[in-house]
Amino acid sequence: MKSVRQLARRWFGKAEETHSGNGLFATLEELMEQRNYTAYLRNPQNKLATSAYSGDVKSAFKGRGMEMEEIRPYSFGDDVRDIDWRVTARKMQPYTKLFAEERDREVFVLLDLSPQMLFGTRNELKSVAAAKIAALLAWMSLENKDRFGCVIFDGHDNYIFRPQNHRAGILAILKKISDTTRKVLQDRQSEPVSLAKSLQLLQKNVKHNAIVFVLSDFNAGGAELQKPLAALARKANLYCVNIFDALEELAPKAGEYMIENRSRKLIFDSASVRFKQEYRKYFNEKRNEFRAFCHKFSCRCIEVRTDLPLYRQLQIV
């Protein structure tokens, strides 16, 4: 890890951050430290690849490759095309086949750092959690000799980094992510803009059968996002990583609260049982609707809560 820090200082100067952003923004140091968590995503059953063009290990990201890796019970979000009907009939419950992906795969991340992601009541903002997940995926890709690319959306502009598999390129991406998490804090009052155009940009630049992660809370855009997400899912192996805060799922403790959003204020009382039920119902309805969409178009839905360990919630292997 020391050599990575030295390279970062050489590329970006002595002003490299060595302290935490306190959950408000992601420092380069924090993004570099995500490399320590790749072991939690690594598949211990990976064997050495034999192809001369391959990396040293099989990709940690499984999907529709050429070689079958294992058969396991079907879980929500698995591709229905991979169900093993013989095992399903014998076990009387659905089982699915997992395939080892090709090596030297293209891994792309669409990182939503728009102002709508500047929300958080515990541990860190959703934007910071998304930035750390992107960094973790970048380090995982580098470790597995996959090519990592990224589209960073700041609410107005898209910054695209073409897929690459060298450390200096990863550090340049992480530096831009860190800078963008700071920048959006100064522009947090702007109106929300959906990810639709970013998704369309990604679809044009991603290769067929690549692995794509969309990191967002999927709150802005609604139905407008469904068409480009569906088109992207048909072209690539799509993972929708839905990032949310604990307060979005669970009502606050009983009491009177005031919230403000772009100079609009609202006062509410969370003491009643009905309020808590309706609060939870609204979140679950949105969650189930998004899950159903992902299931329909055979893309994996991963839900990440910001106050829980991020690496433990990324079920990608």
Side-chain angles (χ1 to χ4, degrees), residues 19-300:
H19 60 277
S20 168
N22 296 319
L24 298 176
F25 58 88
T27 66
L28 181 58
E29 181 77 6
E30 288 177 309
L31 299 181
M32 290 163 56
E33 287 175 351
Q34 297 307 306
R35 192 178 193 183
N36 298 332
Y37 299 107
T38 59
Y40 293 94
L41 304 185
R42 192 183 302 119
N43 184 358
Q45 296 180 347
N46 280 343
K47 300 178 182 179
L48 291 178
T50 56
S51 170
Y53 187 64
S54 301
D56 295 332
V57 294
K58 293 180 181 178
S59 172
F61 311 113
K62 294 183 181 178
R64 298 187 61 82
M66 297 298 295
E67 179 183 348
M68 191 175 73
E69 186 82 0
E70 62 177 300
I71 297 176
R72 62 160 172 77
Y74 179 87
S75 61
F76 181 82
D78 288 341
D79 195 333
V80 295
R81 295 172 295 178
D82 293 333
I83 291 178
D84 189 318
W85 295 107
R86 291 184 179 180
V87 177
T88 296
R90 187 167 66 250
K91 298 287 188 177
M92 298 301 292
Q93 69 179 68
Y95 275 74
T96 186
K97 295 178 284 188
L98 293 182
F99 297 87
E101 293 287 1
E102 332 170 359
R103 274 69 81 184
D104 192 45
R105 286 292 299 270
E106 182 177 282
V107 179
F108 237 116
V109 164
L110 171 53
L111 177 57
D112 183 2
L113 294 180
S114 58
Q116 71 181 30
M117 295 287 285
L118 297 177
F119 180 79
T121 60
R122 305 180 190 178
N123 197 33
E124 58 195 12
L125 300 179
K126 292 189 287 186
S127 58
V128 176
K132 289 181 178 179
I133 293 172
L136 180 56
L137 294 172
W139 290 122
M140 191 69 195
S141 301
L142 181 66
E143 183 175 303
N144 287 281
K145 306 297 176 65
D146 293 319
R147 290 171 291 117
F148 181 80
C150 188
V151 174
I152 304 171
F153 176 59
D154 67 2
H156 298 286
D157 301 314
N158 292 293
Y159 305 93
I160 186 168
F161 292 83
R162 304 294 177 182
Q164 48 199 313
N165 62 352
H166 52 86
R167 191 168 55 180
I170 296 296
L171 287 173
I173 294 175
L174 299 187
K175 179 64 164 58
K176 183 61 178 180
I177 291 174
S178 176
D179 291 343
T180 305
T181 61
R182 296 170 182 269
K183 174 189 171 185
V184 294
L185 283 173
Q186 303 172 0
D187 194 30
R188 57 185 180 273
Q189 296 299 327
S190 61
E191 289 294 327
V193 179
S194 79
L195 278 173
K197 291 185 178 180
S198 302
L199 289 167
Q200 293 169 1
L201 173 66
L202 184 57
Q203 184 190 359
K204 292 178 181 178
N205 287 275
V206 73
K207 288 186 176 180
H208 181 73
N209 209 33
I211 299 173
V212 176
F213 293 86
V214 180
L215 312 181
S216 177
D217 62 2
F218 300 97
N219 284 336
E224 184 184 355
L225 295 182
Q226 293 187 2
K227 186 176 180 179
L229 277 173
L232 188 57
R234 286 191 289 268
K235 186 176 182 181
N237 296 307
L238 180 60
Y239 291 76
C240 293
V241 184
N242 188 4
I243 302 170
F244 64 96
D245 184 83
L247 187 61
E248 294 178 282
E249 181 180 17
L250 303 172
K253 294 181 180 180
E256 193 173 83
Y257 297 87
M258 182 183 74
I259 58 175
E260 182 176 358
N261 184 23
R262 299 183 186 87
S263 73
R264 293 176 293 181
K265 296 181 180 180
L266 173 67
I267 298 177
F268 66 91
D269 191 336
S270 64
S272 71
V273 175
R274 183 177 179 181
F275 175 86
K276 289 182 170 60
Q277 292 174 343
E278 291 296 324
Y279 194 99
R280 185 67 180 268
K281 180 182 177 182
Y282 175 75
F283 177 83
N284 285 334
E285 285 178 349
K286 288 180 59 181
R287 166 189 274 173
N288 292 334
E289 181 181 348
F290 190 70
R291 284 177 175 178
F293 168 82
C294 291
H295 182 71
K296 179 179 179 180
F297 291 98
S298 300
C299 55
R300 291 288 298 274

